[in-house]
Amino acid sequence: VDAQSDQSPCLISADWGTTSLRVYLLAADGSVLDQRSSQQGMMSLNRDDFAGVLSRHCSDWQQRVALPALLSGMVGSRQGWAETAYAGCPAGVSELADSLLPVAAPGFPSVRIVPGISTVDGDDFPDVMRGEECQIFGAVVRLKLTAATMVLPGTHSKRVTVVAGQITAFQTFMTGEIFAALKGHTILGRMMKQPGTCAGAAFSRGVTHAAQSTAPGAWLHRLFSVRTLGLMGQLPGHEAEDYLSGLMIGWELAGLRSLSPVVLIGAPQLTQRYADAAQVLGIPTVVAPDHCVCVGHTEIARRAGLI
Amino acid sequence: VDAQSDQSPCLISADWGTTSLRVYLLAADGSVLDQRSSQQGMMSLNRDDFAGVLSRHCSDWQQRVALPALLSGMVGSRQGWAETAYAGCPAGVSELADSLLPVAAPGFPSVRIVPGISTVDGDDFPDVMRGEECQIFGAVVRLKLTAATMVLPGTHSKRVTVVAGQITAFQTFMTGEIFAALKGHTILGRMMKQPGTCAGAAFSRGVTHAAQSTAPGAWLHRLFSVRTLGLMGQLPGHEAEDYLSGLMIGWELAGLRSLSPVVLIGAPQLTQRYADAAQVLGIPTVVAPDHCVCVGHTEIARRAGLI
């Protein structure tokens, strides 16, 4: 089968996270033939609900030929459908394909959950990911890379090292979740008005300030500038949110060193924000194409003999 | 008058913050003859309420001789009783005494609000305090210091440089408020169970980890260890809160350099926690006695000719 030309459906792919579910009908090369999504993420479901939810999302896709499904994300966590043991680093497509966890759903010949990956960082701290690994292997294929530094922005942003097609190391940064907590639940949020149209300058200002505030503990002080600059009339309320966003992303990226352009993987609005911050910091970036998770899933499914 | 021996009431002192009011009946040396407190902080009051609230708290103290009152804290902010302009750094007792803002309350011959202090830090960022300045000048008197580095832990912790009896520089650290936001509104809080009795070790572990995680942006990654150490069975739920507390205070203190023991001013439980963290980091500290704000107020009142 020539994967480039065969556009018949062969795999159902699900990116099943904490708060959302995205399912895709895929051709053998990972191209998306159909898709749908819902808010039926892991958090809203009991263990017994997952099989039915998956079947309902895909029933019309299964009417002609029953297709196998590959799932990744928090669906494989302790609070998900079934808990998968983390694969250790280094891990590539083969290691994941060898460790798929079978579950059963009505109408599916086969449903498998991709395990997450765990590592121990340079300071001996554990770290974990669930779901990002499939996006990463998809990006490796789509960008024809074997080695790269990648950043997957989000609630828990990941910084990942890929060598010889395997994930060899990664770190989680709580950038998105802490931004939301600061905005929603501290005095800094009370300085904020609806963002304006020229917020790019405020964002860049935040990135620059973060890069200048990397002394030990300086972040605990510099965050207060969202308030004091506002008090002193030096930061309009409609710029405060973008300024804080710039500070946070600036801190995440300030310590990043990469020999090659950093690969950004994620939703377009967020990767653009990270690309803008990286540009302020003089870090070259390349944005991965959409639907990397689908390409990652077809690679793993093929290696596992599912397609 | 010998201030050491005269224990007759001469001043009413109010430490009037965002969420609480503490009033004291003071002798000339700042010793506390009587005190009371309530939750009638700035946030719960309209501008017209302040005079009545103060009078009601002190009415029995005023029956024999009507005493003047000195107030400090957020009572002097834009949302308070009346807005005082910040005094600029360097500022000492004289500068504050020269800038008191008179207001009026039933039964008081004189009520004055002490202004806050503003500064510009080494990176040209504005910073502000309201209320801490009176505690600082009280500590200067009580500890017989003219120069010191001081730390006033709290929601917005202050690190203050005192030279020749004046505040010459200070920085605000959002340690307390960010700790609360992380505990209450991120996944880290969900790892926490009621703290146990042997939480001191978890706190020290957090302080040590913070001191080892001072590379640019490393804090955004290391905070996630509250979750991953828990996931991997390396941090029991009842130690998670103290571990996070240790991380946060560790980061605040990690960049602190002082030639003399650092003076800690504040509530005993909190200053003890900071003293413990400083000990882990090898930073000598001395804890200021209670009621520094009262001594600061009598100093300022005397300089202003109120007593």
Side-chain angles (χ1 to χ4, degrees), chain A residues 265-284:
Chain A
I265 306 176
Q269 205 184 348
L270 205 49
T271 52
Q272 185 58 54
R273 203 164 257 266
Y274 271 64
D276 292 346
Q279 188 169 34
V280 171
L281 298 171
I283 301 170

Side-chain angles (χ1 to χ4, degrees), chain A residues 74 86 117 119 127-133 135-136 149-161 167 169-176 252-253 256 262-265 274, chain B residues 221 224 227-228 231:
Chain A
M74 293 301 280
Y86 294 104
I117 297 182
T119 189
D127 210 333
V128 293
M129 64 166 67
R130 280 199 191 275
E132 293 91 347
E133 66 288 340
Q135 298 175 263
I136 290 161
T149 299
M150 300 186 170
V151 171
L152 293 85
T155 304
H156 295 164
S157 180
K158 306 288 179 187
R159 180 188 300 176
V160 182
T161 305
I167 296 172
F170 65 89
Q171 291 180 300
T172 301
F173 292 79
M174 294 188 66
T175 314
E252 179 185 331
L253 298 181
L256 181 57
V262 172
V263 177
L264 299 173
I265 306 176
Y274 271 64
Chain B
H221 169 52
F224 198 56
R227 173 154 175 80
T228 56
L231 277 179

Side-chain angles (χ1 to χ4, degrees), chain B residues 87-300:
Chain B
C89 269
V93 167
S94 297
E95 287 73 18
L96 297 184
D98 289 347
S99 309
L100 302 179
L101 182 69
V103 289
F108 287 83
S110 169
V111 181
R112 308 273 168 95
I113 303 177
V114 182
I117 297 182
S118 66
T119 189
V120 174
D121 73 15
D123 299 315
D124 233 29
F125 284 84
D127 210 333
V128 293
M129 65 166 66
R130 280 198 191 276
E132 292 92 346
E133 66 288 340
C134 295
Q135 298 175 261
I136 291 161
F137 295 124
V140 164
V141 171
R142 294 289 297 271
L143 296 171
K144 299 182 171 57
L145 297 166
T146 54
T149 299
M150 300 186 171
V151 171
L152 294 86
T155 304
H156 295 163
S157 180
K158 307 287 179 186
R159 181 186 300 175
V160 182
T161 305
V162 172
V163 177
Q166 291 190 311
I167 296 171
T168 58
F170 65 89
Q171 291 180 299
T172 300
F173 293 78
M174 295 187 66
T175 314
E177 188 171 23
I178 295 178
F179 171 79
L182 293 173
K183 180 186 165 188
H185 303 284
T186 74
I187 199 168
L188 305 186
R190 275 184 264 156
M191 308 303 290
M192 296 177 186
K193 294 177 187 159
Q194 197 65 26
T197 48
C198 58
F203 178 77
S204 299
R205 188 180 177 197
V207 173
T208 303
H209 286 178
Q212 292 165 346
S213 309
T214 57
W219 61 277
L220 277 169
H221 169 52
R222 187 57 74 236
L223 281 170
F224 198 56
S225 69
V226 179
R227 173 154 175 80
T228 56
L229 289 171
L231 277 179
M232 298 299 173
Q234 298 170 30
L235 180 70
H238 64 270
E239 293 188 0
E241 179 170 349
D242 282 289
Y243 174 67
L244 176 60
S245 173
L247 281 175
M248 296 296 294
I249 296 173
W251 275 313
E252 179 185 331
L253 298 181
L256 181 57
R257 301 288 172 268
S258 175
L259 296 173
S260 52
V262 172
V263 177
L264 299 173
I265 308 176
Q269 206 185 347
L270 204 49
T271 52
Q272 185 57 54
R273 203 164 257 266
Y274 271 64
D276 292 346
Q279 189 170 32
V280 171
L281 298 171
I283 302 170
T285 57
V286 54
V287 176
D290 284 351
H291 303 315
C292 281
V293 66
C294 299
V295 177
H297 279 171
T298 53
E299 290 292 306
I300 294 165

Side-chain angles (χ1 to χ4, degrees), chain B residues 47-62:
Chain B
R47 182 149 290 191
D48 295 340
D49 298 336
F50 287 86
V53 169
L54 181 66
S55 291
R56 279 193 294 281
H57 274 74
C58 310
S59 58
D60 56 329
W61 294 345
Q62 299 284 43

